Amino acid sequence: IWIGTDQGVYRYDGNTFKNFNQKDGLNHIDISRKGILVDKSGTIWVGTHGGVYRYDPTADSKGGQSFSLFHQLPPINIADIMEDKSGNIWFATSNQGVFRYDGKTIINMAEKEELSANYAGGIAQDNDGNMWFTMKTGICKYDGKTLTEYTAKDGLGGTEFWGIIIERSGIIWVTARGSTTRFDPSIPLPNPDAFTVFTPADGLNCCVQSMFQDISGRMWWGTGQGLYRFDGKRFYQVNQNGPW
């Protein structure tokens, strides 16, 4: 298990923790909240506020520097890293848009000013292969050719958009300051039925830090005030006794 902290990366092998920091090649030890990815090939990517690093298990086993800077990317401030279904690696930054790495070349998608303010680092891929990103004024969809924006004018709630997750059903959840929005992209726009905005009055009264869908399809929200579930109408806080 790999854990990112403000003191570098920790690895837990089931028995002990090992810390990797400057002495191991991580010149920047402030690891981004969503800055660790283990891709399908087993490569470990670590995003920091000063660039992206890759782990070298051979060097580690020989006592050498375990991490090296990925020089094909500039010294960007990483907000999120993910791998899509085709094996492309996506890097969301806080101020330079989104980068895509196909194993050979880097493409920077920063042609939209709003995407360059993707400080929250929301990235997701839907069942059709489209990529979705959070941006300054909302979210956008990238179909491989064009970017389509969705903002408060379309029905999104809140400001300062942070996180995005797509259920296996295709439903999109977007978190923002002051609200969480449920978006059904199968409903043609404009249509107010496509967006359902939940506010603190619906039970979720704290800033969302993470979202997850479990193997049974249940959605979970991690916040500064604990764990929440959605019962189809409103959110409720999960206590220590469950439900599990």
PDB file of all heavy atoms in Angstrom, residues 177-199:
ATOM      1  N   ARG A 177     -18.297  23.800  -3.612  1.00  0.00           N
ATOM      2  CA  ARG A 177     -18.540  24.523  -2.370  1.00  0.00           C
ATOM      3  C   ARG A 177     -20.037  24.805  -2.243  1.00  0.00           C
ATOM      4  O   ARG A 177     -20.635  25.436  -3.099  1.00  0.00           O
ATOM      5  CB  ARG A 177     -17.766  25.834  -2.352  1.00  0.00           C
ATOM      6  CG  ARG A 177     -17.945  26.640  -1.062  1.00  0.00           C
ATOM      7  CD  ARG A 177     -17.130  27.903  -1.072  1.00  0.00           C
ATOM      8  NE  ARG A 177     -15.713  27.615  -1.108  1.00  0.00           N
ATOM      9  CZ  ARG A 177     -14.960  27.295  -0.057  1.00  0.00           C
ATOM     10  NH1 ARG A 177     -15.542  27.214   1.147  1.00  0.00           N
ATOM     11  NH2 ARG A 177     -13.671  27.052  -0.176  1.00  0.00           N
ATOM     12  N   GLY A 178     -20.639  24.298  -1.190  1.00  0.00           N
ATOM     13  CA  GLY A 178     -22.023  24.581  -0.910  1.00  0.00           C
ATOM     14  C   GLY A 178     -23.022  23.567  -1.425  1.00  0.00           C
ATOM     15  O   GLY A 178     -24.194  23.629  -1.052  1.00  0.00           O
ATOM     16  N   SER A 179     -22.590  22.611  -2.258  1.00  0.00           N
ATOM     17  CA  SER A 179     -23.567  21.662  -2.786  1.00  0.00           C
ATOM     18  C   SER A 179     -22.890  20.466  -3.438  1.00  0.00           C
ATOM     19  O   SER A 179     -21.685  20.473  -3.702  1.00  0.00           O
ATOM     20  CB  SER A 179     -24.483  22.343  -3.813  1.00  0.00           C
ATOM     21  OG  SER A 179     -23.743  22.663  -4.976  1.00  0.00           O
ATOM     22  N   THR A 180     -23.711  19.439  -3.700  1.00  0.00           N
ATOM     23  CA  THR A 180     -23.317  18.273  -4.479  1.00  0.00           C
ATOM     24  C   THR A 180     -24.392  18.057  -5.541  1.00  0.00           C
ATOM     25  O   THR A 180     -25.583  18.104  -5.244  1.00  0.00           O
ATOM     26  CB  THR A 180     -23.203  17.023  -3.588  1.00  0.00           C
ATOM     27  OG1 THR A 180     -22.131  17.201  -2.661  1.00  0.00           O
ATOM     28  CG2 THR A 180     -22.928  15.780  -4.423  1.00  0.00           C
ATOM     29  N   THR A 181     -23.970  17.837  -6.781  1.00  0.00           N
ATOM     30  CA  THR A 181     -24.921  17.722  -7.892  1.00  0.00           C
ATOM     31  C   THR A 181     -24.914  16.316  -8.467  1.00  0.00           C
ATOM     32  O   THR A 181     -23.853  15.731  -8.702  1.00  0.00           O
ATOM     33  CB  THR A 181     -24.591  18.718  -9.012  1.00  0.00           C
ATOM     34  OG1 THR A 181     -24.613  20.044  -8.489  1.00  0.00           O
ATOM     35  CG2 THR A 181     -25.606  18.626 -10.151  1.00  0.00           C
ATOM     36  N   ARG A 182     -26.116  15.792  -8.708  1.00  0.00           N
ATOM     37  CA  ARG A 182     -26.294  14.530  -9.413  1.00  0.00           C
ATOM     38  C   ARG A 182     -26.696  14.858 -10.849  1.00  0.00           C
ATOM     39  O   ARG A 182     -27.696  15.529 -11.082  1.00  0.00           O
ATOM     40  CB  ARG A 182     -27.377  13.678  -8.746  1.00  0.00           C
ATOM     41  CG  ARG A 182     -27.606  12.318  -9.386  1.00  0.00           C
ATOM     42  CD  ARG A 182     -28.775  11.610  -8.679  1.00  0.00           C
ATOM     43  NE  ARG A 182     -28.954  10.251  -9.147  1.00  0.00           N
ATOM     44  CZ  ARG A 182     -29.697   9.911 -10.202  1.00  0.00           C
ATOM     45  NH1 ARG A 182     -30.318  10.857 -10.896  1.00  0.00           N
ATOM     46  NH2 ARG A 182     -29.820   8.650 -10.559  1.00  0.00           N
ATOM     47  N   PHE A 183     -25.913  14.389 -11.812  1.00  0.00           N
ATOM     48  CA  PHE A 183     -26.101  14.742 -13.224  1.00  0.00           C
ATOM     49  C   PHE A 183     -26.329  13.478 -14.035  1.00  0.00           C
ATOM     50  O   PHE A 183     -25.526  12.554 -14.003  1.00  0.00           O
ATOM     51  CB  PHE A 183     -24.874  15.509 -13.722  1.00  0.00           C
ATOM     52  CG  PHE A 183     -24.828  15.768 -15.203  1.00  0.00           C
ATOM     53  CD1 PHE A 183     -25.985  16.016 -15.934  1.00  0.00           C
ATOM     54  CD2 PHE A 183     -23.610  15.782 -15.863  1.00  0.00           C
ATOM     55  CE1 PHE A 183     -25.928  16.259 -17.302  1.00  0.00           C
ATOM     56  CE2 PHE A 183     -23.547  16.022 -17.226  1.00  0.00           C
ATOM     57  CZ  PHE A 183     -24.711  16.257 -17.945  1.00  0.00           C
ATOM     58  N   ASP A 184     -27.435  13.440 -14.770  1.00  0.00           N
ATOM     59  CA  ASP A 184     -27.738  12.322 -15.664  1.00  0.00           C
ATOM     60  C   ASP A 184     -27.458  12.763 -17.094  1.00  0.00           C
ATOM     61  O   ASP A 184     -28.274  13.442 -17.717  1.00  0.00           O
ATOM     62  CB  ASP A 184     -29.202  11.911 -15.518  1.00  0.00           C
ATOM     63  CG  ASP A 184     -29.538  10.662 -16.335  1.00  0.00           C
ATOM     64  OD1 ASP A 184     -28.702  10.245 -17.162  1.00  0.00           O
ATOM     65  OD2 ASP A 184     -30.635  10.108 -16.138  1.00  0.00           O
ATOM     66  N   PRO A 185     -26.295  12.412 -17.655  1.00  0.00           N
ATOM     67  CA  PRO A 185     -25.922  12.890 -18.987  1.00  0.00           C
ATOM     68  C   PRO A 185     -26.734  12.264 -20.111  1.00  0.00           C
ATOM     69  O   PRO A 185     -26.625  12.700 -21.263  1.00  0.00           O
ATOM     70  CB  PRO A 185     -24.445  12.506 -19.097  1.00  0.00           C
ATOM     71  CG  PRO A 185     -24.297  11.323 -18.204  1.00  0.00           C
ATOM     72  CD  PRO A 185     -25.255  11.555 -17.062  1.00  0.00           C
ATOM     73  N   SER A 186     -27.566  11.253 -19.797  1.00  0.00           N
ATOM     74  CA  SER A 186     -28.394  10.642 -20.844  1.00  0.00           C
ATOM     75  C   SER A 186     -29.594  11.514 -21.193  1.00  0.00           C
ATOM     76  O   SER A 186     -30.257  11.284 -22.215  1.00  0.00           O
ATOM     77  CB  SER A 186     -28.880   9.263 -20.399  1.00  0.00           C
ATOM     78  OG  SER A 186     -29.796   9.367 -19.309  1.00  0.00           O
ATOM     79  N   ILE A 187     -29.890  12.521 -20.358  1.00  0.00           N
ATOM     80  CA  ILE A 187     -31.013  13.426 -20.619  1.00  0.00           C
ATOM     81  C   ILE A 187     -30.522  14.581 -21.475  1.00  0.00           C
ATOM     82  O   ILE A 187     -29.631  15.329 -21.066  1.00  0.00           O
ATOM     83  CB  ILE A 187     -31.605  13.961 -19.304  1.00  0.00           C
ATOM     84  CG1 ILE A 187     -32.138  12.806 -18.452  1.00  0.00           C
ATOM     85  CG2 ILE A 187     -32.712  14.974 -19.576  1.00  0.00           C
ATOM     86  CD1 ILE A 187     -32.664  13.229 -17.100  1.00  0.00           C
ATOM     87  N   PRO A 188     -31.059  14.749 -22.677  1.00  0.00           N
ATOM     88  CA  PRO A 188     -30.604  15.838 -23.559  1.00  0.00           C
ATOM     89  C   PRO A 188     -30.842  17.202 -22.918  1.00  0.00           C
ATOM     90  O   PRO A 188     -31.878  17.438 -22.294  1.00  0.00           O
ATOM     91  CB  PRO A 188     -31.461  15.660 -24.823  1.00  0.00           C
ATOM     92  CG  PRO A 188     -31.931  14.238 -24.783  1.00  0.00           C
ATOM     93  CD  PRO A 188     -32.093  13.915 -23.329  1.00  0.00           C
ATOM     94  N   LEU A 189     -29.872  18.085 -23.080  1.00  0.00           N
ATOM     95  CA  LEU A 189     -29.988  19.444 -22.555  1.00  0.00           C
ATOM     96  C   LEU A 189     -30.483  20.400 -23.635  1.00  0.00           C
ATOM     97  O   LEU A 189     -30.295  20.145 -24.827  1.00  0.00           O
ATOM     98  CB  LEU A 189     -28.626  19.900 -22.017  1.00  0.00           C
ATOM     99  CG  LEU A 189     -28.032  19.053 -20.880  1.00  0.00           C
ATOM    100  CD1 LEU A 189     -26.705  19.627 -20.439  1.00  0.00           C
ATOM    101  CD2 LEU A 189     -29.001  18.959 -19.714  1.00  0.00           C
ATOM    102  N   PRO A 190     -31.133  21.512 -23.272  1.00  0.00           N
ATOM    103  CA  PRO A 190     -31.388  21.924 -21.887  1.00  0.00           C
ATOM    104  C   PRO A 190     -32.585  21.211 -21.283  1.00  0.00           C
ATOM    105  O   PRO A 190     -33.629  21.084 -21.915  1.00  0.00           O
ATOM    106  CB  PRO A 190     -31.669  23.423 -22.036  1.00  0.00           C
ATOM    107  CG  PRO A 190     -32.231  23.552 -23.419  1.00  0.00           C
ATOM    108  CD  PRO A 190     -31.538  22.521 -24.256  1.00  0.00           C
ATOM    109  N   ASN A 191     -32.414  20.754 -20.050  1.00  0.00           N
ATOM    110  CA  ASN A 191     -33.489  20.087 -19.329  1.00  0.00           C
ATOM    111  C   ASN A 191     -33.138  20.099 -17.846  1.00  0.00           C
ATOM    112  O   ASN A 191     -32.142  19.485 -17.436  1.00  0.00           O
ATOM    113  CB  ASN A 191     -33.661  18.649 -19.822  1.00  0.00           C
ATOM    114  CG  ASN A 191     -34.907  17.985 -19.273  1.00  0.00           C
ATOM    115  OD1 ASN A 191     -35.338  18.265 -18.160  1.00  0.00           O
ATOM    116  ND2 ASN A 191     -35.493  17.080 -20.052  1.00  0.00           N
ATOM    117  N   PRO A 192     -33.922  20.778 -17.025  1.00  0.00           N
ATOM    118  CA  PRO A 192     -33.602  20.844 -15.589  1.00  0.00           C
ATOM    119  C   PRO A 192     -33.642  19.490 -14.905  1.00  0.00           C
ATOM    120  O   PRO A 192     -33.066  19.322 -13.824  1.00  0.00           O
ATOM    121  CB  PRO A 192     -34.676  21.787 -15.031  1.00  0.00           C
ATOM    122  CG  PRO A 192     -35.806  21.712 -16.026  1.00  0.00           C
ATOM    123  CD  PRO A 192     -35.154  21.521 -17.352  1.00  0.00           C
ATOM    124  N   ASP A 193     -34.306  18.493 -15.493  1.00  0.00           N
ATOM    125  CA  ASP A 193     -34.375  17.164 -14.884  1.00  0.00           C
ATOM    126  C   ASP A 193     -33.031  16.444 -14.915  1.00  0.00           C
ATOM    127  O   ASP A 193     -32.851  15.429 -14.231  1.00  0.00           O
ATOM    128  CB  ASP A 193     -35.424  16.311 -15.587  1.00  0.00           C
ATOM    129  CG  ASP A 193     -36.837  16.817 -15.369  1.00  0.00           C
ATOM    130  OD1 ASP A 193     -37.055  17.526 -14.362  1.00  0.00           O
ATOM    131  OD2 ASP A 193     -37.713  16.524 -16.211  1.00  0.00           O
ATOM    132  N   ALA A 194     -32.099  16.954 -15.724  1.00  0.00           N
ATOM    133  CA  ALA A 194     -30.796  16.300 -15.830  1.00  0.00           C
ATOM    134  C   ALA A 194     -29.944  16.539 -14.585  1.00  0.00           C
ATOM    135  O   ALA A 194     -29.031  15.768 -14.303  1.00  0.00           O
ATOM    136  CB  ALA A 194     -30.058  16.791 -17.079  1.00  0.00           C
ATOM    137  N   PHE A 195     -30.237  17.611 -13.853  1.00  0.00           N
ATOM    138  CA  PHE A 195     -29.427  17.988 -12.694  1.00  0.00           C
ATOM    139  C   PHE A 195     -30.276  18.008 -11.430  1.00  0.00           C
ATOM    140  O   PHE A 195     -31.346  18.600 -11.412  1.00  0.00           O
ATOM    141  CB  PHE A 195     -28.810  19.371 -12.906  1.00  0.00           C
ATOM    142  CG  PHE A 195     -27.859  19.446 -14.068  1.00  0.00           C
ATOM    143  CD1 PHE A 195     -28.337  19.743 -15.344  1.00  0.00           C
ATOM    144  CD2 PHE A 195     -26.509  19.227 -13.900  1.00  0.00           C
ATOM    145  CE1 PHE A 195     -27.467  19.824 -16.418  1.00  0.00           C
ATOM    146  CE2 PHE A 195     -25.632  19.308 -14.972  1.00  0.00           C
ATOM    147  CZ  PHE A 195     -26.116  19.598 -16.234  1.00  0.00           C
ATOM    148  N   THR A 196     -29.773  17.361 -10.381  1.00  0.00           N
ATOM    149  CA  THR A 196     -30.386  17.448  -9.064  1.00  0.00           C
ATOM    150  C   THR A 196     -29.337  17.970  -8.098  1.00  0.00           C
ATOM    151  O   THR A 196     -28.288  17.342  -7.922  1.00  0.00           O
ATOM    152  CB  THR A 196     -30.902  16.081  -8.578  1.00  0.00           C
ATOM    153  OG1 THR A 196     -31.803  15.540  -9.545  1.00  0.00           O
ATOM    154  CG2 THR A 196     -31.611  16.218  -7.243  1.00  0.00           C
ATOM    155  N   VAL A 197     -29.610  19.134  -7.502  1.00  0.00           N
ATOM    156  CA  VAL A 197     -28.647  19.776  -6.613  1.00  0.00           C
ATOM    157  C   VAL A 197     -29.026  19.499  -5.163  1.00  0.00           C
ATOM    158  O   VAL A 197     -30.162  19.740  -4.746  1.00  0.00           O
ATOM    159  CB  VAL A 197     -28.585  21.292  -6.868  1.00  0.00           C
ATOM    160  CG1 VAL A 197     -27.600  21.948  -5.911  1.00  0.00           C
ATOM    161  CG2 VAL A 197     -28.185  21.570  -8.325  1.00  0.00           C
ATOM    162  N   PHE A 198     -28.064  18.973  -4.401  1.00  0.00           N
ATOM    163  CA  PHE A 198     -28.253  18.695  -2.985  1.00  0.00           C
ATOM    164  C   PHE A 198     -27.457  19.704  -2.165  1.00  0.00           C
ATOM    165  O   PHE A 198     -26.281  19.951  -2.436  1.00  0.00           O
ATOM    166  CB  PHE A 198     -27.796  17.274  -2.650  1.00  0.00           C
ATOM    167  CG  PHE A 198     -28.558  16.205  -3.391  1.00  0.00           C
ATOM    168  CD1 PHE A 198     -28.105  15.718  -4.610  1.00  0.00           C
ATOM    169  CD2 PHE A 198     -29.733  15.687  -2.872  1.00  0.00           C
ATOM    170  CE1 PHE A 198     -28.799  14.742  -5.300  1.00  0.00           C
ATOM    171  CE2 PHE A 198     -30.434  14.703  -3.552  1.00  0.00           C
ATOM    172  CZ  PHE A 198     -29.973  14.235  -4.770  1.00  0.00           C
ATOM    173  N   THR A 199     -28.104  20.284  -1.171  1.00  0.00           N
ATOM    174  CA  THR A 199     -27.497  21.282  -0.300  1.00  0.00           C
ATOM    175  C   THR A 199     -27.423  20.732   1.113  1.00  0.00           C
ATOM    176  O   THR A 199     -27.882  19.607   1.379  1.00  0.00           O
ATOM    177  CB  THR A 199     -28.325  22.577  -0.326  1.00  0.00           C
ATOM    178  OG1 THR A 199     -29.603  22.305   0.276  1.00  0.00           O
ATOM    179  CG2 THR A 199     -28.540  23.059  -1.762  1.00  0.00           C
TER     180      THR A 199
END
